[in-house]
Amino acid sequence: MSRRGCDSQDVQLNTAATKNSAAAGVFLIASLFFNSAIGGGGPVQPAIAYDDFASDTVSKTVQMMNAARGDSAKTLVVEEEIAQIITEGKGVGGAQNYAGIQLERGEVADEDTTIYNPGLKLLTESEKRALVDSTIANRKAGLASNTWTPDNEDGYDFIKTRLDPLHMTELQGYLGILPFYSALVYLAALAVQQTARSLFPVAYIVGALALFVPFGVLVAAGP
């Protein structure tokens, strides 16, 4: 074989290796970027005592929701209370005080906010989590005792979609392990690149599916 032919083969091999390395790099960067975008980077902190930082209204509502487990009528009443907190800022709006300015129910700084959901801005993330967790626990108890009604489900859907629109309740466990899991997937793809380069495109697709499919599965399965 001529020297020119050998050089041509070397160039082709180097080009293929460069492409594979670039693809692997893109795979890693995409994984790391996605982790950062969704808040990955460490285990999600477990739920703690909500009473330490929840308003009186939220604490009482959570207690009412817990006490209503297995009772569809009482559950519906509490769901309506939570809906009013979301849509009107009931209780949480009036509890906020800044330098003597009292925010009335349904109002924020003298602005009528009944046309949207002021509670979503007034509630803290921990308060939202407390309300969602208690509602989910109530739903599970109602389904287990066969006392859960379509009206209860409608109330649950309203609360869940507004207080947890990104499905963090379902995803928090997976997000906690995602940085480590994505690193393992990347190393597996890198091993395929080094040992069986012809299979790397397939390994790349499989790795991407391994990272992203669990999101859909967990959301579809529900809390």
Side-chain angles (χ1 to χ4, degrees):
M1 182 179 293
S2 67
R3 177 61 180 273
R4 180 174 298 178
C6 292
D7 291 341
S8 177
Q9 285 187 342
D10 289 342
V11 169
Q12 291 177 354
L13 290 175
N14 290 334
T15 301
T18 300
K19 289 181 178 179
N20 287 337
S21 297
V26 170
F27 185 84
L28 176 60
I29 293 172
S31 299
L32 294 176
F33 175 79
F34 189 75
N35 288 344
S36 300
I38 60 178
V44 175
Q45 294 299 320
I48 58 178
Y50 299 117
D51 292 340
D52 291 343
F53 39 78
S55 67
D56 290 341
T57 298
V58 171
S59 297
K60 291 178 181 178
T61 304
V62 169
Q63 293 172 5
M64 290 169 59
M65 182 63 81
N66 291 336
R69 292 180 186 178
D71 189 321
S72 60
K74 290 182 179 179
T75 295
L76 188 59
V77 171
V78 183
E79 287 178 334
E80 291 173 350
E81 285 291 319
I82 296 176
Q84 289 181 358
I85 292 175
I86 295 172
T87 59
E88 302 176 24
K90 180 181 178 181
V92 293
Q96 303 295 324
N97 188 293
Y98 299 95
I101 300 177
Q102 187 73 15
L103 303 180
E104 301 298 335
R105 174 181 172 183
E107 296 181 354
V108 177
D110 297 327
E111 177 186 358
D112 183 6
T113 61
T114 56
I115 60 174
Y116 59 99
N117 298 322
L120 299 181
K121 294 182 178 295
L122 296 170
L123 289 168
T124 65
E125 290 304 313
S126 60
E127 289 174 331
K128 292 178 183 179
R129 190 173 73 249
L131 291 170
V132 169
D133 288 350
S134 63
T135 304
I136 290 174
N138 187 301
R139 180 175 182 268
K140 290 180 178 179
L143 292 173
S145 61
N146 200 29
T147 58
W148 195 251
T149 67
D151 288 339
N152 292 145
E153 185 67 17
D154 289 341
Y156 166 81
D157 288 339
F158 178 85
I159 294 168
K160 182 69 167 61
T161 54
R162 279 146 182 89
L163 296 183
D164 188 22
L166 298 180
H167 300 281
M168 296 305 295
T169 302
E170 295 94 321
L171 298 176
Q172 61 181 351
Y174 181 58
L175 293 177
I177 66 170
L178 184 58
F180 311 102
Y181 177 55
S182 59
L184 291 176
V185 172
Y186 168 72
L187 291 176
L190 188 61
V192 172
Q193 179 198 22
Q194 298 299 321
T195 59
R197 290 180 177 176
S198 61
L199 298 178
F200 180 73
V202 176
Y204 181 86
I205 295 174
V206 171
L209 292 174
L211 287 176
F212 297 113
V213 167
F215 285 94
V217 172
L218 291 171
V219 170

